[in-house]
Amino acid sequence: MRLPNLSALRAFEAAVRHENFSRAAAELCLTHGAISHQVRGLEEELGVQLFVRNGRQVTATPEARRYASTVARCLAELADGAAELRPAEGVQRLSVTAIPSFAARWLAPRLGQFIEQNPNIEVILQASGQLQDLVREGIDVGIRFGRGKYPGLDVERLIGEIYYPVVSPRYRGGQLPAYPQDLANATLLRSNEPWLPWFRAAGLALPEPSGGVMFEDLSMLIRSAVDGDGVALVRHVVAMQEIASGQLVRLFDIATPCPDDYYLVSPPGALQKPQVRAFRDWLKAEIARSQLLTTPS
């Protein structure tokens, strides 16, 4: 059995992932020319074109993308196998990235339970709204909020999400909106999530609110609602803590589904690591225990 050159495979996989020879070279501490030479050699050995070249721009062919997925998985297995051979260091490191709202308002308050159950695992939690390159940045697992299209990663849907309006019980001295129509005279807090889909679901012909503060941080939006500044349209997972404590009250029984879902994503082969499997199993069990799988309608 004849295997392709391992250095060429590493260069090829990085080049497909970045779709850029220069960035692949920077990752592997090589030159652009070295990456190009390795890829050319692999193309000659396999007898197939792997990239369409236009000057210094390169585009991976569909065949190259499929093969790169196999190569990435095999490289991860090799790395994990080597890690298993090395003497145990006692503590296993687990790096997790999540969107800020989920990390701060749901995950972080519960991580202590995971650490108690797994005292040999050190968790490094990063909150980021950017789509990070998990492979390049050495991150074991991510929790993303989107449509589930994350090429090059293992993807598993966790839960869906819904929107509904909430308000502080102290808003306007306790004179809370009794009917959806009452929102026409209420102070509506704004965020990146539009009100219009919920207005339509409630049969309201109100325009999208304008003016005032636009909250890009959902934690700040909820804080403003708790302080009685107005009515906020919130995601269930993000606001459930304040609703459970009575700091916020859900208005009406109308909710709109969010087009995005929460997904667990990881680099190819990462789930073979015991700490990643332990986190995945705990996360899914905690989601079920906290009844996130049965969000209110």
Side-chain angles (χ1 to χ4, degrees), residues 96-104 107 124-134 137 139 141-145 150 216-217 235 262 265:
V96 180
T97 180
I99 60 172
S101 56
F102 188 87
L107 182 57
I124 301 171
L125 176 61
Q126 303 177 27
S128 175
Q130 303 299 318
L131 287 182
Q132 295 168 284
D133 188 328
L134 304 191
E137 298 183 31
I139 298 173
V141 65
I143 299 171
R144 291 183 173 173
F145 189 60
Y150 305 112
E216 294 191 354
D217 186 313
R235 296 204 301 261
Y262 293 96
V265 299

Side-chain angles (χ1 to χ4, degrees), residues 135-190:
V135 175
R136 184 174 186 179
E137 298 183 31
I139 298 173
D140 296 307
V141 65
I143 299 171
R144 291 183 173 173
F145 189 60
R147 308 295 170 89
K149 303 296 183 182
Y150 305 112
L153 299 176
D154 292 334
V155 181
E156 181 177 3
R157 182 183 179 276
L158 292 173
I159 47 172
E161 183 63 288
I162 59 173
Y163 295 107
Y164 50 71
V166 296
V167 71
S168 166
R170 299 182 289 107
Y171 175 69
R172 293 187 176 176
Q175 298 298 311
L176 307 185
Y179 304 99
Q181 295 87 333
D182 296 338
L183 294 185
N185 299 314
T187 300
L188 302 181
L189 303 178
R190 304 167 58 218

Side-chain angles (χ1 to χ4, degrees), residues 36-188:
S36 180
H37 176 75
Q38 296 274 23
V39 170
R40 288 276 188 196
L42 186 61
E43 288 179 321
E44 292 175 3
E45 183 176 357
L46 298 177
V48 63
Q49 182 179 1
L50 299 173
F51 290 90
V52 177
R53 296 165 174 82
N54 183 13
R56 293 181 70 88
Q57 287 188 325
V58 294
T59 303
T61 65
E63 296 82 3
R65 292 187 183 281
R66 288 195 296 270
Y67 186 44
S69 178
T70 299
V71 171
R73 184 172 63 252
C74 293
L75 290 175
E77 290 179 1
L78 287 172
D80 291 341
E84 291 177 2
L85 289 175
R86 296 187 181 101
E89 298 178 357
V91 176
Q92 297 173 332
R93 190 171 182 175
L94 174 70
S95 55
V96 180
T97 180
I99 60 172
S101 56
F102 188 87
R105 308 197 63 78
W106 192 89
L107 182 57
R110 293 170 169 79
L111 266 182
Q113 302 170 23
F114 174 74
I115 294 172
E116 285 183 8
Q117 297 171 21
N118 301 272
N120 63 321
I121 298 178
E122 177 188 30
V123 179
I124 301 171
L125 176 61
Q126 303 177 27
S128 175
Q130 303 299 318
L131 287 182
Q132 295 168 284
D133 188 328
L134 304 191
V135 175
R136 184 174 186 179
E137 298 183 31
I139 298 173
D140 296 307
V141 65
I143 299 171
R144 291 183 173 173
F145 189 60
R147 308 295 170 89
K149 303 296 183 182
Y150 305 112
L153 299 176
D154 292 334
V155 181
E156 181 177 3
R157 182 183 179 276
L158 292 173
I159 47 172
E161 183 63 288
I162 59 173
Y163 295 107
Y164 50 71
V166 296
V167 71
S168 166
R170 299 182 289 107
Y171 175 69
R172 293 187 176 176
Q175 298 298 311
L176 307 185
Y179 304 99
Q181 295 87 333
D182 296 338
L183 294 185
N185 299 314
T187 300
L188 302 181

